[in-house]
């Protein structure tokens, strides 16, 4: 089956994934969310245009540990544009905050997984980082190499959460993007989104140049004399 160039996947499961209370597989969809009718045990949303994704799971009763899970995923095919004959090594990253409520005492093990993958991450991928209460701020990325002008790459990012125990909740809320596109390069998504994130030094140089141009124009106007 041909993989759509962009889409979303949202699933709320019970019984370690044996029963899916809600599943929305949306090829060629730019956004999706788990309806509130399935809450408050599961929350999740994803938008491939903005790169925002969130996933949460709550334990409000004596459910068995690991029985309820939320999976949220978005994927997009990015086409790079830059000078012909050159190549770059961009990093597609997912950064954000992990939070939990109702946790009393130390928690062993992890209860959330964030993935950034080359291709669809449904079923897992090689780039895998797990987070717990000891790492509330996270950054997981996928290094790309030798990307040339007009190269197209399908990338996906997903979150899976499981609350650590009864009466607690776990939540991820990150954003995604390219954090080191050099000047002169852009990335356009198949869903219509674009990612242009120049390095901080590039931004500073650009602003300095604008200030210099403005000052030059001002002094030129001041130096004009009328006879």
């Amino acid at each position: 089956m041909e993989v759509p160039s962009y889409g979303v996947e949202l699933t709320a499961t019970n019984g370690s994934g044996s029963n899916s209370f809600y599943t929305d597989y949306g090829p060629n969809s730019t956004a999706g969310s788990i309806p509130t009718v399935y809450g408050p045990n599961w929350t999740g949303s994803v938008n491939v245009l903005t790169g925002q994704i969130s996933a949460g799971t709550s334990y409000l009763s004596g459910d068995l540990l690991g029985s309820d899970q939320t999976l949220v995923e978005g994927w997009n095919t990015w086409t790079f544009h830059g000078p012909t004959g050159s190549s770059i090594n961009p990093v597609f990253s997912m950064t954000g905050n992990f939070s939990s409520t109702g946790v009393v005492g130390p928690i062993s093990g992890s209860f959330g997984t964030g993935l950034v993958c080359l291709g669809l991450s449904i079923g897992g991928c090689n780039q895998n980082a797990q987070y717990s209460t000891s790492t509330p701020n996270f950054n997981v990325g996928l290094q790309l190499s030798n990307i040339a002008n007009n190269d197209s790459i399908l990338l996906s990012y997903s979150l899976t959460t499981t609350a650590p125990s009864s009466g607690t909740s776990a939540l991820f809320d990150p954003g995604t993007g390219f954090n080191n596109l050099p000047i002169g390069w852009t990335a356009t998504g198949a869903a219509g989104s674009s990612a242009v994130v120049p390095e901080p030094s590039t931004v500073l140089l650009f602003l300095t140049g604008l200030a210099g141009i403005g000052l030059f124009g001002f002094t030129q106007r001041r130096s004009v004399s009328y006879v």
Side-chain angles (χ1 to χ4, degrees):
M1 182 182 71
E2 183 179 355
V3 176
S5 57
Y6 64 92
V8 297
E9 162 90 353
L10 301 102
T11 302
T13 64
N14 183 34
S16 299
S18 59
N19 299 303
S20 293
F21 282 111
Y22 176 77
T23 298
D24 181 12
Y25 178 73
N28 301 321
S29 296
T30 58
S33 61
I34 296 176
T36 55
V37 67
Y38 294 94
N41 278 39
W42 304 277
T43 59
S45 64
V46 59
N47 189 323
V48 296
L49 293 177
T50 63
Q52 284 298 128
I53 182 172
S54 65
T57 299
S58 299
Y59 278 70
L60 303 181
S61 61
D63 294 337
L64 293 176
L65 178 63
S67 64
D68 290 357
Q69 289 186 329
T70 300
L71 166 68
V72 180
E73 177 185 36
W75 72 90
N76 203 350
T77 300
W78 296 92
T79 301
F80 296 85
H81 311 281
T84 302
S86 61
S87 62
I88 57 175
N89 302 309
V91 176
F92 183 77
S93 63
M94 181 169 66
T95 60
N97 297 303
F98 171 81
S99 61
S100 59
T101 62
V103 178
V104 179
I107 299 296
S108 60
S110 61
F111 39 93
T113 303
L115 299 95
V116 174
C117 306
L118 182 62
L120 285 179
S121 66
I122 299 175
C125 67
N126 293 329
Q127 298 293 324
N128 185 339
Q130 293 186 337
Y131 307 100
S132 65
T133 52
S134 61
T135 56
N137 302 308
F138 62 88
N139 186 329
V140 56
L142 178 63
Q143 176 74 63
L144 304 176
S145 300
N146 298 321
I147 301 298
N149 182 44
N150 290 327
D151 280 353
S152 294
I153 304 292
L154 190 153
L155 301 173
S156 64
Y157 47 94
S158 65
L159 296 173
T160 303
T161 60
T162 303
S165 61
S166 175
T168 67
S169 65
L171 177 67
F172 286 91
D173 186 16
T176 65
F178 297 95
N179 60 11
N180 65 341
L181 285 182
I183 188 170
W185 284 85
T186 60
T188 304
S193 53
S194 61
V196 185
V197 188
E199 297 175 343
S201 59
T202 302
V203 176
L204 179 60
L205 181 63
F206 177 72
L207 293 177
T208 304
L210 285 180
I213 293 173
L215 179 61
F216 177 77
F218 177 77
T219 56
Q220 287 293 97
R221 288 193 299 271
R222 289 291 300 271
S223 64
V224 173
S225 60
Y226 298 90
V227 178

